[in-house]
Amino acid sequence: MFAIVDIETTGGRPQDGGITEIAVIIHDGAQVVETYETLINPRQNIPSYITGLTGIDNEMVKQAPLFEEIAPELNRLLSNRIFVAHNVNFDHSFLKQNFEELGFPFSPKKLCTVKWARKVIPGLKSYSLGRLCSDLNIEIENRHRAMGDAMATAKLLKMLFEQDQTGHWQQMSKANTGVYLPPLIDQEKIQSLPEATGIYFFHDERGKIIYVGKAKSIRSRVRSHFTGKDGQKKQDLRRKIANISVEITGSELLASLHEAAQIKKHFPEFNKAQKFPDPKFGIYKWIDQLGFERLSLSKVAKNMKPIASFTSLTEMRSIVGKASLELQLCPRLCGMEVKEGLCSLHQGNCPKLCTNNEHTIDHNQRLNSFIANKFYTNENEVFIDKGRTDNESSFVLFLNGLYAGFGYFESQQFGTDLSLFQHHLLPQKEDTEIKRILKFYRQIWPEKKRFLLT
């Protein structure tokens, strides 16, 4: 018996995407036996380009069931059946991720109608579902919706059965869990790992940390190290793992920060070197004899702290040049070279140096506003996120605009008093990788979880 599956999602990767719709067709190879379809609330925003493709928008899934609500029924439909889909690994990977986060094991036999069609009907220009159905005169109703595409796949399945004279499908659907546990670790150890957000450590027989990773769901992520094709490095890692330890963070942000710090601390053998180049160029501020605050764009100097630093000279000049145009700052005072006739502030007639003292205060205010808004704040600020338990919250603290560390506190204690967070703070050092992580999260962190402290 076959379970033909099609899903619609918010994106292309199960690690950061969600399922918005699913259809399952139970098929005996000759006819449809049972059907099931539902929208699913993905717990995240549906991008506009996905809505344009599928027609599924945020309002449609608002009242739809969550995956955990339909998981038991899906498990019944898919259990002990060959999992069939067009490009089967895509649909399988999303369902596997969601099932295993809930503790459901999910390792069905798989049959890909793309690969099967290539075997049975070779020589076509394209094996996408749309082109394949067009070439084979299979009608697709409601394209890019789960049931429409699943029904088209069911028709394709029946046609391939009729033309598969050598039984390709039997060889292609042989069971293979692809799970190869380390020889020094047993299944019970893996199963005892938490399905929680945090970081995990692989240790060798001496207890030395040989790999550090982060995960939204630790057990599922650890298991993924022991599946799939084996390269030499993966074999070497698996052979050396003698123990696994974990630290639950509750917060994905804290997991990212903690992972980076632990890699820097232990330099594990099997972690890729974090090759984020040190910044070579910096923006410095100084005051000239006329009282103008000026910028200097140069190489990073020892014992001098720049306002901001960059790995690219071009990026640095681009940011400052754009600001000088938008805020009507003198390019020369911003450290920029000005060619004859190109100064927007002086309508193309740029003097060698601005000398109008009446505009000193106005210029300095605009320059400092640009620096504060673009590069840093001098304020004390905290990011609040989930903790390790329901009664706990986590935080990331910035003192005078600089990263100070993270910690945990009881959710009921929350306030905007700086002393609360200083009391629970686990001080951390900032480096290039930490800056990169914080820059990314600062761009996406919701305002309702960012607070200024008093």
Side-chain angles (χ1 to χ4, degrees):
M1 197 71 78
F2 303 88
I4 301 166
V5 179
D6 190 87
I7 63 172
E8 302 302 330
T9 69
T10 61
R13 300 195 322 151
Q15 293 88 343
D16 45 34
I19 301 174
T20 59
E21 186 178 41
I22 186 169
V24 180
I25 298 174
I26 305 305
H27 203 285
D28 64 5
Q31 61 184 359
V32 174
V33 176
E34 183 181 356
T35 64
Y36 173 86
E37 66 176 317
T38 182
L39 290 167
I40 300 173
N41 185 336
R43 284 191 170 125
Q44 58 180 264
N45 182 60
I46 301 175
S48 57
Y49 74 91
I50 294 291
T51 297
L53 180 69
T54 66
I56 301 172
D57 59 25
N58 292 310
E59 192 62 31
M60 289 172 63
V61 300
K62 190 174 181 180
Q63 301 300 323
L66 301 172
F67 185 87
E68 51 261 42
E69 296 177 69
I70 64 168
E73 177 64 7
L74 283 180
N75 188 53
R76 178 191 71 81
L77 289 165
L78 300 177
S79 291
N80 301 316
R81 288 174 174 140
I82 297 175
F83 186 100
V84 181
H86 205 69
N87 189 12
V88 70
N89 286 334
F90 176 82
D91 303 81
H92 177 269
S93 64
F94 273 86
L95 288 172
K96 183 178 179 66
Q97 173 92 7
N98 281 271
F99 271 129
E100 292 192 346
E101 285 181 358
L102 297 173
F104 286 86
F106 190 68
S107 299
K109 294 181 180 180
K110 294 183 293 182
L111 179 60
C112 180
T113 50
V114 175
K115 294 180 180 179
W116 192 12
R118 288 182 186 277
K119 290 282 188 181
V120 177
I121 316 172
L124 299 180
K125 289 184 178 180
S126 172
Y127 288 85
S128 69
L129 185 61
R131 288 294 299 274
L132 195 55
C133 288
S134 177
D135 290 343
L136 299 176
N137 295 317
I138 296 174
E139 184 179 357
I140 306 181
E141 296 181 8
N142 218 1
R143 181 78 170 105
H144 295 303
R145 289 298 297 270
M147 185 54 77
D149 287 353
M151 278 295 184
T153 305
K155 295 173 184 177
L156 175 62
L157 176 84
K158 183 177 179 181
M159 186 175 292
L160 291 174
F161 264 120
E162 293 170 351
Q163 298 187 37
D164 188 359
Q165 302 300 315
T166 57
H168 287 297
W169 74 271
Q170 293 172 314
Q171 183 65 30
M172 295 173 67
S173 62
K174 283 186 176 179
N176 178 14
T177 62
V179 179
Y180 307 96
L181 294 180
L184 302 176
I185 294 285
D186 57 28
Q187 180 68 36
E188 287 70 25
K189 179 66 178 179
I190 304 298
Q191 288 302 114
S192 69
L193 296 174
E195 285 289 11
T197 300
I199 66 172
Y200 56 94
F201 304 85
F202 292 159
H203 305 261
D204 63 15
E205 290 185 284
R206 298 170 297 170
K208 182 180 179 181
I209 294 171
I210 57 175
Y211 184 84
V212 180
K214 70 176 186 298
K216 184 177 180 180
S217 300
I218 292 174
R219 187 198 308 158
S220 297
R221 181 68 185 95
V222 168
R223 280 177 58 87
S224 74
H225 283 279
F226 313 136
T227 61
K229 294 181 179 179
D230 281 346
Q232 187 60 50
K233 189 172 183 179
K234 197 170 184 179
Q235 291 180 31
D236 292 342
L237 172 61
R238 189 170 64 235
R239 188 175 63 251
K240 289 186 176 183
I241 299 172
N243 193 21
I244 303 172
S245 61
V246 304
E247 289 187 29
I248 297 174
T249 64
S251 160
E252 291 183 65
L253 169 56
L254 262 64
S256 296
L257 294 171
H258 202 22
E259 178 199 38
Q262 292 299 311
I263 290 174
K264 190 84 170 181
K265 178 180 179 180
H266 297 287
F267 293 102
E269 176 184 353
F270 288 92
N271 281 98
K272 291 182 179 179
Q274 295 180 312
K275 297 179 180 179
F276 297 96
D278 292 329
K280 296 180 179 179
F281 306 97
I283 300 175
Y284 297 89
K285 188 173 75 169
W286 57 287
I287 302 177
D288 67 16
Q289 293 180 342
L290 297 175
F292 283 100
E293 295 189 24
R294 306 181 62 174
L295 300 181
S296 174
L297 313 183
S298 62
K299 289 186 176 181
V300 172
K302 290 183 178 180
N303 303 321
M304 292 183 63
K305 184 175 178 60
I307 292 170
S309 53
F310 303 81
T311 57
S312 165
L313 179 61
T314 302
E315 179 189 9
M316 178 172 66
R317 287 176 172 169
S318 173
I319 288 174
V320 175
K322 183 179 179 181
S324 70
L325 288 174
E326 292 178 350
L327 301 177
Q328 287 290 287
L329 295 166
C330 175
R332 291 189 186 278
L333 295 182
C334 291
M336 304 290 290
E337 295 181 4
V338 182
K339 293 183 180 179
E340 189 69 27
L342 293 180
C343 179
S344 60
L345 182 60
H346 299 93
Q347 288 75 48
N349 206 1
C350 185
K352 289 186 177 180
L353 184 65
C354 287
T355 57
N356 189 341
N357 288 336
E358 293 179 5
H359 299 306
T360 305
I361 296 176
D362 181 51
H363 162 84
N364 292 351
Q365 287 177 340
R366 282 182 286 129
L367 179 65
N368 285 308
S369 176
F370 156 63
I371 292 171
N373 292 333
K374 184 66 181 178
F375 299 117
Y376 62 85
T377 171
N378 284 322
E379 295 171 315
N380 298 323
E381 186 180 24
V382 69
F383 289 6
I384 302 297
D385 201 9
K386 294 182 292 186
R388 297 161 296 189
T389 66
D390 292 340
N391 298 322
E392 184 181 68
S393 295
S394 64
F395 69 89
V396 174
L397 180 65
F398 299 85
L399 295 177
N400 298 319
L402 300 176
Y403 173 60
F406 58 80
Y408 300 90
F409 65 96
E410 292 183 11
S411 301
Q412 62 185 17
Q413 294 179 330
F414 175 72
T416 56
D417 187 344
L418 174 59
S419 62
L420 166 67
F421 301 99
Q422 288 179 316
H423 178 71
H424 295 285
L425 181 67
L426 301 172
Q428 302 291 316
K429 294 182 178 180
E430 185 176 87
D431 58 27
T432 305
E433 169 64 355
I434 294 294
K435 285 182 180 179
R436 185 189 69 82
I437 294 169
L438 291 170
K439 181 179 179 181
F440 170 75
Y441 275 93
R442 184 173 283 279
Q443 292 171 345
I444 66 171
W445 208 256
E447 290 293 333
K448 62 183 180 181
K449 292 187 177 183
R450 293 169 59 177
F451 301 90
L452 294 179
L453 302 176
T454 55

